[in-house]
């Protein structure tokens, strides 16, 4: 027979889901990559919402059902639901549960929501939306950058442009492409554009990955970027603006080719 101390140790190892701190994994819990179980779980549920598995107005499964489905603790589910509520994807009330909010209430500038959108079945429509955003913002941002950029900011733009041309892999090129455009937003001198650019960074990554894979002539695309860099460097705002319009038209064409 085990003594009292041994029995207490054995009982301590049998914590129930309600006893576990938020996010603590059960030994047999499903594996989620990332920094925490609840954040990864929020990502899985959020992706399902954005891609339309749970349309607006849908009452979601309760905590116990999610915990059973993903083999995680109920406290992890609770924290995941809180994250999705903070992104305005969900609302919740006692005795009713959690339901999907109307799409117009979703925080579409949230990094995670953007990433989920970019991998949804309606990805092409979303990427066209990103292109429209770029058309509104980037031509004038580039013109301002040509007038306001510092030497340090210009070096950041030029370096990203060079790294695009020298990239040894598609992933390296995409990351350099994103840095190039974010550096231009920073160089525009408008404080509101900087956080906005950082927020859509994930969307730009997905857009550039999608378009780059479909651009037949990478050298032509590189020259379009180099034209933007050159005109910002030579402080030619009108020419920089026009160069951005040419680049955006080229990306539009790449997205259009993918639909055919």
């Amino acid at each position: 027979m085990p003594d009292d101390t041994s029995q207490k140790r054995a009982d301590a190892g049998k914590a129930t889901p309600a006893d576990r701190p938020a996010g603590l994994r059960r030994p047999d819990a499903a594996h989620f990559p990332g920094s925490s179980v609840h954040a990864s779980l929020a990502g899985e549920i959020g992706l399902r919402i954005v891609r339309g598995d749970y349309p607006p107005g849908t009452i979601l499964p309760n905590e116990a059902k999610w915990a059973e489905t993903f083999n995680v603790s109920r406290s992890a589910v609770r924290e995941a639901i809180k994250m999705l509520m903070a992104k305005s994807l969900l609302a919740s009330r006692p005795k009713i549960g959690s339901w999907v909010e109307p799409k117009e209430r979703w925080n579409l500038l949230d990094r995670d929501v953007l990433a989920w959108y970019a991998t949804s079945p309606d990805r092409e429509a979303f990427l066209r939306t990103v292109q429209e955003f770029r058309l509104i913002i980037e031509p004038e941002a580039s013109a301002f950058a040509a007038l306001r950029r510092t030497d340090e900011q210009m070096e950041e733009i030029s370096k990203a442009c060079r790294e695009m041309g020298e990239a040894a892999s598609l992933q390296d090129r995409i990351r350099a492409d994103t840095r190039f455009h974010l550096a231009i937003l920073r160089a525009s001198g408008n404080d509101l554009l900087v956080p906005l650019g950082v927020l859509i960074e994930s969307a730009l990554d997905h857009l550039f990955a999608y378009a780059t894979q479909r651009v037949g002539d990478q050298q032509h695309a590189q020259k379009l970027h180099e034209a933007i860099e050159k005109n910002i460097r030579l402080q030619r705002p009108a020419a920089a603006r026009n160069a951005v319009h040419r680049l955006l038209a080229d990306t539009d064409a790449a997205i259009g080719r993918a639909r055919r």
Side-chain angles (χ1 to χ4, degrees):
M1 294 288 291
D3 58 25
D4 290 343
T5 301
S6 299
Q7 185 62 48
K8 289 178 181 178
R9 287 173 181 167
D11 292 341
K14 298 179 180 179
T16 64
D19 294 330
R20 279 187 217 97
L24 185 63
R25 296 172 60 82
R26 297 203 306 255
D28 60 345
H31 173 67
F32 286 113
S35 58
S36 65
V37 175
H38 70 266
S40 297
L41 180 59
E44 178 61 34
I45 298 173
L47 177 60
R48 295 183 182 197
I49 292 171
V50 169
R51 74 186 182 193
D53 292 4
Y54 301 104
T58 301
I59 302 294
L60 294 184
N62 59 27
E63 286 181 9
K65 184 61 178 177
W66 282 127
E68 179 184 356
T69 299
F70 291 103
N71 204 14
V72 297
S73 68
R74 292 180 62 171
S75 56
V77 174
R78 198 172 303 121
E79 292 302 314
I81 296 301
K82 287 180 182 178
M83 288 184 65
L84 295 173
M85 289 175 64
K87 300 175 188 298
S88 300
L89 268 66
L90 298 179
S92 181
R93 285 183 185 172
K95 299 183 180 181
I96 296 178
S98 301
W99 66 89
V100 180
E101 286 278 67
K103 184 177 177 180
E104 58 267 22
R105 296 185 184 175
W106 298 356
N107 182 5
L108 296 182
L109 288 180
D110 180 271
R111 285 175 178 268
D112 293 331
V113 178
L114 283 170
W116 299 332
Y117 249 116
T119 57
S120 69
D122 199 24
R123 179 175 61 175
E124 290 180 18
F126 170 68
L127 295 180
R128 289 194 295 273
T129 299
V130 176
Q131 276 293 94
E132 290 177 0
F133 171 86
R134 296 180 67 199
L135 183 61
I136 294 168
I137 298 296
E138 288 194 35
E140 292 306 316
S142 297
F144 280 126
L147 294 172
R148 299 172 175 174
R149 56 84 176 164
T150 65
D151 290 343
E152 292 77 11
Q153 290 169 336
M154 189 66 240
E155 176 54 31
E156 185 179 11
I157 295 169
S158 299
K159 180 181 178 183
C161 190
R162 287 195 307 272
E163 290 177 350
M164 283 183 63
E166 299 168 355
S169 67
L170 176 63
Q171 187 61 37
D172 288 343
R173 180 177 178 83
I174 292 166
R175 293 304 301 161
D177 198 349
T178 301
R179 289 196 303 272
F180 176 79
H181 291 279
L182 294 180
I184 290 174
L185 292 183
R186 285 190 289 271
S188 72
N190 187 299
D191 291 341
L192 292 179
L193 290 183
V194 177
L196 193 59
V198 172
L199 281 173
I200 68 163
E201 181 177 357
S202 176
L204 290 177
D205 278 346
H206 286 283
L207 172 63
F208 296 152
Y210 185 85
T212 300
Q213 292 171 350
R214 291 157 178 80
V215 172
D217 188 351
Q218 293 290 349
Q219 289 186 342
H220 175 65
Q222 179 65 24
K223 288 179 180 178
L224 292 174
H225 284 82
E226 290 173 355
I228 298 171
E229 186 274 344
K230 177 181 178 180
N231 286 301
I232 293 176
R233 176 163 40 83
L234 296 178
Q235 298 184 298
R236 298 171 178 170
R241 182 187 298 114
N242 291 335
V244 172
H245 277 291
R246 289 194 294 273
L247 175 64
L248 293 176
D250 189 67
T251 306
D252 285 339
I255 294 174
R257 285 194 296 273
R259 293 200 301 271
R260 293 198 291 269

